[in-house]
């Protein structure tokens, strides 16, 4: 045998012998996992009719969008239906993606909530705004 073959055989023998020396861990029996839902039990008595159960309160409307950042420094809330932030202290003024939109008998847009405002049409505003206000 040449030297490379001897080294390979010795390395394999030594590596495999390490596996034979370790003892397996003792197996411990874990208690069975209970079912996730209780099984239904048949009822022998009829269930009395209950008065109307009040509806659960609606989920709170998210204040922010998962996709769009809110306007800097302004009080606003996210309107899921419109797909924009609605500025709380300016009537019919909206924000999305670094642009403010304002409805005042027509659409205008700006990079600041205070203007200067540039006129635009329904195609220059987010789709939800165009559907809500139209032109």
């Amino acid at each position: 045998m040449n030297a490379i073959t001897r080294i390979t055989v010795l390395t394999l023998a030594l590596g495999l012998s390490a596996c034979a020396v370790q003892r397996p861990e003792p197996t411990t029996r874990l208690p069975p996992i209970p079912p996730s839902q209780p099984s239904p039990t048949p009822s022998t008595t009829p269930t009395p009719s209950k008065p109307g159960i009040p509806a659960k309160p609606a989920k709170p409307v998210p204040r922010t969008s998962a996709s769009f950042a809110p306007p800097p420094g302004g009080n606003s809330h996210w309107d899921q239906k419109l797909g924009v932030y609605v500025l709380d202290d300016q009537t019919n003024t909206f924000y999305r993606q670094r642009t403010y939109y304002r409805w005042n008998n027509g659409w205008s847009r700006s990079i600041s909530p205070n203007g200067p405002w540039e006129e635009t049409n329904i195609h220059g505003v987010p789709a939800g705004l165009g559907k809500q206000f139209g032109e």
Side-chain angles (χ1 to χ4, degrees):
M1 275 200 239
N2 64 18
I4 295 176
T5 307
R6 285 184 198 160
I7 292 173
T8 305
V9 170
L10 286 172
T11 304
L12 286 172
L14 184 61
L16 292 174
S17 68
C19 294
V21 174
Q22 294 180 355
R23 296 182 184 170
E25 292 184 22
T27 9
T28 56
R29 291 204 153 236
L30 298 175
I33 298 173
S36 60
Q37 294 180 341
S39 57
T41 54
S43 175
T44 55
T45 59
T47 313
S49 62
K50 296 180 181 179
I53 299 173
K56 292 181 180 178
K59 290 183 179 179
V61 177
R63 296 286 301 167
T64 60
S65 162
S67 303
F68 301 106
N75 291 333
S76 64
H77 65 275
W78 177 252
D79 187 318
Q80 182 69 37
K81 182 180 172 190
L82 298 177
V84 293
Y85 284 93
V86 178
L87 272 63
D88 295 334
D89 44 353
Q90 290 186 0
T91 306
N92 291 337
T93 305
F94 312 94
Y95 176 86
R96 187 167 106 181
Q97 291 180 316
R98 299 181 185 160
T99 304
Y100 292 87
Y101 302 95
R102 180 177 68 178
W103 172 258
N104 187 9
N105 295 323
W107 284 110
S108 56
R109 62 185 173 193
S110 175
I111 58 170
S112 166
N114 302 320
W117 294 95
E118 162 189 292
E119 287 188 27
T120 187
N121 61 20
I122 195 170
H123 301 290
V125 298
L129 289 176
K131 290 177 187 174
Q132 178 72 19
F133 288 88
E135 238 182 25

